[in-house]
Amino acid sequence: MTKFKRILLKLSGESLLGEQGYGIDVKRLNQYAKQIKEVADMGVQIGIVIGGGNIFRGLAGTGKGFDRVKGDQMGMCATVINALGLSSALDAIGQKNRVLTAIRMEPVGEFFNKWKAIEALNNGEVVIMGAGTGSPYFTTDTGSSLRGIEIEADVMLKGTRVDGIYTADPEKDPTATKFHDITYAEVIARDLKVMDISATAMCMQNNLPIYVFNMDIEGNLKKVIAGEEIGTLVHN
Ligand code: UDP
């Protein structure tokens, strides 16, 4: 028995860095692919939104004189590079998958629409959704909320390098304590850096629960799917 039937998995681009300063750590990528296949084999339908921070973030460009919209478009292209990398890693281990993009760029990926995504999920394909929302001034967190709601996922699983949400950044403050669960309203009120406010608000308005957990430990995705409480749940 699995706790969730259909999930939206959000992977940050930054976590693909692994032990590198830039780009994609193939070891990390393969480790993610393996965990994803493991839960796909359990019959779970998996939609994935992947970030691009390991390659380029729009805001970082703005600081160096880039036009914000062009910078964000570069960031969205970065998410597509990561989507293709993950797709290749899944291909290599025999996991059926499909890349859909929010910006038209066939043949790199098919143009996203809700029904195509759901059809692929029902066929047992892992659906990787690149280019975020397709619009500047958003992040892939908002992209994940949007796609999670559109594909009617049971939950958004936010795979990070920390094992949940803390009262403060546990990497900086040793006195920080972890929440077992927390409401969206409290996340916003306490200004906890789980996701940006627009992404959190969107999940709140549409009742999409978020589960934050450490995806960098092999086997953790499977544990979450099996209902083990290893992270933090955000709910209404
Ligand atoms: N981006 C955007 N619109 C979106 C999603 C992403 O413009 O809907 C751009 C934005 O510049 C962002 C970059 O793509 O900084 C990479 O995404 P993000 O920062 O969310 O990646 P992550 O932090 O998850 O690695």
Side-chain angles (χ1 to χ4, degrees), residues 10-16 49-62 68-79 82 102-103 130-144 146-147 158 196:
K10 160 76 207 291
L11 297 174
S12 78
E14 210 166 307
S15 56
L16 286 182
V49 168
I50 192 157
N54 55 324
I55 301 171
F56 197 84
R57 280 206 179 93
L59 267 178
T62 310
R68 172 70 193 265
V69 173
K70 288 208 170 112
D72 280 341
Q73 288 169 338
M74 290 168 73
M76 287 186 269
C77 289
T79 74
N82 287 334
I103 298 169
T133 62
S135 296
Y137 298 97
F138 287 103
T139 63
T140 48
D141 280 341
T142 319
S144 328
L146 175 66
R147 297 303 184 223
K158 190 170 157 72
D196 51 75

Side-chain angles (χ1 to χ4, degrees), residues 85-103:
L86 183 60
S87 168
S88 302
L90 289 169
D91 285 339
I93 54 173
Q95 174 58 53
K96 282 195 292 183
N97 69 89
R98 191 187 293 222
V99 175
L100 303 180
T101 60
I103 298 169

Side-chain angles (χ1 to χ4, degrees), residues 22 27 36 76 82 86-87 93 192 203 219 230:
Y22 178 82
K27 218 167 81 191
I36 291 161
M76 287 186 269
N82 287 334
L86 183 60
S87 168
I93 54 173
L192 297 171
C203 289
I230 58 170

Side-chain angles (χ1 to χ4, degrees), residues 183-185 188 199-208 210 235-236:
T183 62
Y184 305 101
I188 295 171
T200 309
M202 202 167 175
C203 289
M204 177 164 79
Q205 282 157 357
N206 294 279
N207 249 320
L208 177 67
I210 308 164
H235 55 90
N236 259 322

Side-chain angles (χ1 to χ4, degrees), residues 73-193:
Q73 288 169 338
M74 290 168 73
M76 287 186 269
C77 289
T79 74
V80 176
I81 293 175
N82 287 334
L84 294 174
L86 183 60
S87 168
S88 302
L90 289 169
D91 285 339
I93 54 173
Q95 174 58 53
K96 282 195 292 183
N97 69 89
R98 191 187 293 222
V99 175
L100 303 180
T101 60
I103 298 169
R104 224 177 238 294
M105 53 174 86
E106 292 98 347
V108 171
E110 293 170 57
F111 192 40
F112 173 87
N113 77 57
K114 167 186 172 154
W115 299 278
K116 197 187 286 175
I118 290 180
E119 193 184 304
L121 290 168
N122 285 335
N123 279 336
E125 292 172 50
V126 169
V127 177
I128 307 167
M129 293 164 280
T133 62
S135 296
Y137 298 97
F138 287 103
T139 63
T140 48
D141 280 341
T142 319
S144 328
S145 312
L146 175 66
R147 297 303 184 223
I149 294 158
E150 280 186 286
I151 67 167
E152 299 170 22
D154 302 322
V155 68
M156 182 207 295
L157 300 183
K158 190 170 157 72
T160 66
R161 56 180 186 198
V162 224
D163 65 348
I165 303 172
Y166 284 74
T167 47
D169 183 348
E171 287 175 352
K172 291 184 191 138
D173 181 352
T175 65
T177 54
K178 183 179 151 185
F179 293 99
H180 168 271
D181 67 287
I182 185 169
T183 62
Y184 305 101
E186 206 176 344
V187 165
I188 295 171
R190 284 175 175 253
D191 194 24
L192 297 171
K193 304 280 180 259

